[in-house]
């Protein structure tokens, strides 16, 4: 299982070394998942929800007055991504970043659109953290989103769009972008929570002293997981900060407060991650002292057993010698006197160890 | 008991994932404590102190010339909080933050009010640190405070308000806000003091060598407590710093000096916390060396006992052999000579260990 | 003795929790030392040195052309401090800071005076570091200093004032402030030197391997002392930096160079402290390796003794068996052959351990 | 082999101490590799690729309208480097930096050219990281590159230049510089990947517990390698950042986006390196706990064996004594009773150790 | 030897506590080395090299058109230093800093001169690092240098001055200052190289496992040395940075490039020092794991020996008992059967330990 996980990570590093810049190379997992383009087109009063079968239809929504959200699933279809890119006049480097799933979260400001790359995190069925890249393109009245595969955290957004009376329907594309990013960030909290529970479980194990042998491996794996989450989440703060400064004309002033709210959440998530890191270090400390304490206990048992019986054995050996003349051997009660002496030594040593608090 | 503490912390993380932003979700402990609205309305000469039974009455104090302090206890009554919020024109995100008790301390500046979230800290009956959130809304001539439950650190403020000749009565709402925050910060000092005493106790235990077995668990718990306090207190510095810069029209210039004073106190508290952190690390060091020293001592006892008696036992064994011809066994004083030899070895080894300072 | 030290530190934290801001509460040691007001009033040509018995006389020096240094000893007489404060128009928070001896070093700029709080450090008779607070108020032509008790580092300043030809007599109050602070900072060097010597002594002990058992306690105490000094000295840099920027009208341009000199000294002191911190960490490392090495040595002795004698004892035991038919026992020289075998094993093991460099 | 590696690094430090500044001293490995000057001169429509045999020919390309890339291999021919330098009016310090292969990556802006020093990294046949310095001089319509020896990562650039329809042919020298630097940075990813695989291999070894004895040496060597890569790569970020700010007239605005892309890649590489560093620290932790666990296990075996047999041996010794009157010895079934007692003790101790989870 | 080194360092701290600022107190080693004033006066075409016997002659060079370098050796002659100071109008604090050899490297800008303090580093005959202070005063057409004692790193500068065709002769005093500082910084590289070699030697020792007992003392001393060098070199970066900014009128624009070159070298030196620090930490790690591994090995030998012979000895003891009826003792081949059993146990345990990889 270790092997498998390692393989995956190695792939992550791979890049299209030596390629012409702007060439689209999909770096994620080759799956047979379908390519799908979802489209929400809405105004305050109206909403139209369609699955676009012809990518060429996407361009129709570009210059309408209504707000449009086009969600693309399946990044391995680079040719189709390229098509959409052309229709929406996206820079070749933007398209390259969309399909390069090892891209670090980032924001790029272009003249008439804003390009944001984030990481969506969730636990898969094996309780392992999966990182999926989502790219956002915010235009004057549209938001494009690109995901590696179907399945996302935008379910509630879809619901809110469908109901006419939500705030989201009355506002512009910049609020839609906010709502989508907020959904991603909200989901971080559940990741954080799971990590927190795992740490607490390990801690309880170590506190109570019933730690399994391989608890240090688990601690290390948890450390790695936190590192992974940290890397996915931390750059996001800078991104939201850039948006929040409100210098891009596509972000209206009244939406800024909402982005500030995301920023606050991110700070909270980040703080938790840093606290978990510190707690993990403490866990390693705990584990080391646990080992030391155990060894100490083993040593004590050995020392007590040896210290008591070695001198007694010596005495026994002494009177097992075959010298012709050992006066004590002749005494009638020599044996019993010796037993008494041995018992005294035994008790004496017990008291000694008791005083040293080894018993 | 550990289990219980853990459960609590897990809850802390929980957030209203997937909720529409601005939805009020109370994240604290569901208690059956009552909802209560306290109201102090005062000028230099007059003061009126009431318990508001009708929340609708709160709005009456909004635009008077007198200064009003409205204190709300019981955040789980989100509907009533929402009512007050509407009367005082608070932004939906402000209300969301008020009832979300996992909110990080923060300041938000709105056009006609200032919103501040702090953490009140105190030790409960089990000597555990309790963190309670207090939110402040500073308006032109009112201060609203929202607490999770009854019981706070504002007792002295109430007293000072009641007596006509106090400075507080003659000044505006910005001074009232100062006085309230100051009361919260003052209380941090007693937390700090208790933490300091705990560290000193552990230290004395470790210095004198009479440390219990589980002292490392206590050290870890103390570390956690400090982490918790740190997280509650540190963001506050930035908040006071923002107020102190005096850019908001609601903070008058003459009050700034007072806020600077709070800032000084916070720096002092923060420094103490950081010193405690460093001391905790030293304690772990102390503990590790204590374990190592103990193991060393155990090893020495074992080594001394073994090293002395193993060669003696060998000698005894030697003359316990049944060879037909062992000349020494025939000697008249063989036994006594051997005893002498053994005694010499015994003394020799004692001197050897003495020289090595193992005895 | 530990107990005593701890008690003292606990008091340090205490603050007048819940007091009206601006109330004077003395937080230092209640001693029966007298209250005393020293006064130096001088021009280039003239100097008048008096002990003021009436505090009311202090105000006379406020608006003269001559430069006046009023030195107040004995902060527990808060009423008298308050009197002086009124005469010199000091802000209530300034007076509060003067008598609150747990105040962190700081600078506050008021319109017509500058308020500086420093820490004077010296070793008392028990070789323990004592921290005494000194507050300075720099006015147009006066400097007020407030000390906890009599006895200070200003002796040389007094001497220099008394002699007409010193630079100090020809310059203004800002130079006097410089001279006083410089005296405080100069004294830090002797503290640093003593700390350095202590570290070197411990180091020599650890290097030579003649460390006492409790050397780690001393290391920890030294660490604490350095922490204490660090906390007293480090904020001072920021303070001098603020003065040096020369923005306050009371600091003349030609004195700035001198303040820059203090700043250089402080950087030097700070660097030394940080180096000492790092050296202390190395000492702990040294100590840990010393323990490990000792344990290693103990283990070696045990292993050598056991490994040599256990197989020999086995052989002796073998021929101590009472089987009716053990042919070797009948041989004439069986005993001597066995002795030879044992000797060979003994030498063989010695060579083996020699090769492993355990001997 | 260690020796050899060390020697190499020592050389690295050497500098032409005491030389007149501006003297060209080659600090790399003296190899017999040839000096070679490659030249690509191209416009959108045309390309001329030559090997310059006469260095004097290089100057011909300086002021043409076409873009020229002159690539110089073989820095030990300092006289020829100096020739080129004179033809292109390079500052003496620039030439000094070109041949001083211990130069840190840097950028220097001159009036009519930009000077950039980078490090090319690749693994040699012995799987050791080789660092080769490449210097770039960007002029109005030329790029000069200087490499220590033949063999580089620019193969794809040459290919792209040869084909008329590439973007590179239509753009200016600043894009050529971008393409070259991009090729260098792209190659960092493969270094990173190899490092990642090495770390994972060590980790798997440590996780599965099948670690070889000298795994800590490998960990240390990996740590060193990462340090080396870090030092070569990290300064580059600052350099690209400076270019990206776009203040130099030779960098056109439309190329900036591309440099920003390099910057993103560098951040990604740097982050990976920092994560690897942290992972290496964890590996050391793992190794230490592995050692401790092993020692613990060794101790347990010793303790179990000793604790079981020492008391049994004592009993055997007891009845091996030669006292004339030991009643038990006379009993008919004494021996068998004793065997029973011994077996009971044996089983008892086994249960005891089982309970302690030592077995 | 340790003692001696310590004494020296203690002196280093000492400062003229309680002295009037501006009093010249020499803080270096009182040696009987002579006071000597060297003077180079040159223009592009001419050079005059003299030893000034009368300090009063120094002033003659102050306002000439030629560039003058006056080098003063022997700081303990404070009266003569004061003389020169007066002739060149140096501020009293400058003179104080020149003779105070514990001065931290620094730069002070005065109206018509620039004052720089550096540290010259070299290894003395005992392979210990010696730190000598050099102060530079840069005037319009002169450079004064003050050294503790004869012997410096300026030999090549003198040579270059003597030859008419060097760049140095044609340029102004600011280039001379550059050349002198460059000579100091160049020498740092050889210090760095020696440190590097020492670290590598220790490393090889630790890697090969042939480390001497006291290798940790050497590691600590190396750590200390690095600390010392770091403290001498690091402040220099800031100084050169200040010069490089080119705000002082005495530094001409065309010399700036050269100062930037020094800055680059300093960054390189600093980076190496930081890498060495990190490597030293790794060495301590290596040492600790080496100790642990050794102890592990010791334990294994003990455990193997004990575990094998303790049960065998028990068997021997069993049949050494004197019970009247032990049937086995009567068997004809009892002894040989037992020997067989013992041999089987012996082999069995060997296989067991082999499997555990302890052998």
């Amino acid at each position: 299982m270790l092997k498998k996980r390692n393989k995956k990570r190695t792939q992550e590093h791979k890049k299209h070394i030596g390629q012409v810049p702007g060439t689209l190379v999909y770096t994620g997992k080759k799956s047979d998942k379908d390519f799908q383009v979802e489209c929400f087109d809405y105004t305050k009063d109206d909403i139209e929800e369609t699955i676009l079968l012809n990518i060429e239809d996407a361009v129709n929504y570009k210059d309408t007055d209504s707000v449009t959200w086009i969600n693309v699933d399946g990044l391995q279809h680079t040719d189709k991504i390229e098509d959409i890119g052309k229709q929406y006049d996206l820079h070749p480097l933007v398209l390259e970043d969309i399909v390069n799933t090892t891209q670090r979260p980032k924001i790029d400001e272009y003249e008439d659109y804003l390009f944001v790359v984030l990481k969506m995190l969730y636990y898969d069925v094996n309780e392992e953290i999966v990182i999926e890249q989502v790219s956002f393109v915010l235009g004057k009245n549209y938001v494009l989103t690109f995901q590696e595969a179907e399945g996302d955290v935008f379910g509630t957004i879809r619901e809110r769009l469908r109901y006419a009376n939500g705030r989201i329907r009355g506002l512009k594309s910049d609020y839609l972008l906010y709502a989508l990013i907020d959904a991603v960030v909200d989901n971080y909290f559940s990741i954080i929570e799971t990590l927190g529970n795992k740490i607490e479980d390990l801690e309880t194990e170590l506190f109570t002293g019933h730690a399994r042998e391989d608890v240090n491996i688990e601690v290390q794996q948890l450390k790695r997981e936190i590192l992974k989450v940290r890397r996915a989440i931390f750059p996001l703060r800078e991104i939201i900060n850039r948006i929040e400064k409100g210098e891009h004309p596509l972000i209206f002033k009244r939406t800024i407060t909402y982005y500030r709210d995301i920023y606050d959440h991110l700070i909270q998530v980040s703080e938790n991650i840093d606290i978990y890191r510190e707690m993990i270090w403490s866990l390693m400390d705990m584990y080391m002292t646990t080992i030391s304490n155990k060894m100490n206990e083993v040593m004590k048992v050995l020392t007590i057993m040896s210290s008591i019986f070695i001198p007694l054995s010596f005495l026994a050996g002494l009177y097992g010698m075959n010298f012709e003349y050992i006066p004590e051997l002749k005494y009638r009660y020599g044996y019993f006197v010796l037993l008494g002496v041995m018992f005294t030594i035994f008790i004496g040593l017990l008291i000694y160890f008791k005083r040293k608090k080894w018993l």
Side-chain angles (χ1 to χ4, degrees), chain A residues 282-293:
Chain A
S282 291
L283 287 184
M284 276 312 292
D285 263 23
M286 288 290 301
Y287 181 68
M288 284 307 285
T289 56
T290 304
I291 294 182
S292 293
N293 276 327

Side-chain angles (χ1 to χ4, degrees), chain A residues 254-297:
Chain A
R254 65 159 296 175
T255 330
I256 298 291
T257 313
Y258 291 99
Y259 282 101
R260 203 165 56 191
D261 196 51
I262 296 185
Y263 189 74
D264 279 351
H265 291 172
L266 279 173
I267 294 290
Q268 205 171 327
V269 170
S270 310
E271 267 187 356
N272 274 318
I273 292 176
D274 281 339
I275 284 171
Y276 289 164
R277 281 185 84 196
E278 205 158 318
M279 282 165 79
I280 284 280
W281 280 109
S282 291
L283 287 184
M284 276 312 292
D285 263 23
M286 288 290 301
Y287 181 68
M288 284 307 285
T289 56
T290 304
I291 294 182
S292 293
N293 276 327
K294 266 189 193 164
M295 207 183 306
N296 221 343
E297 201 196 359

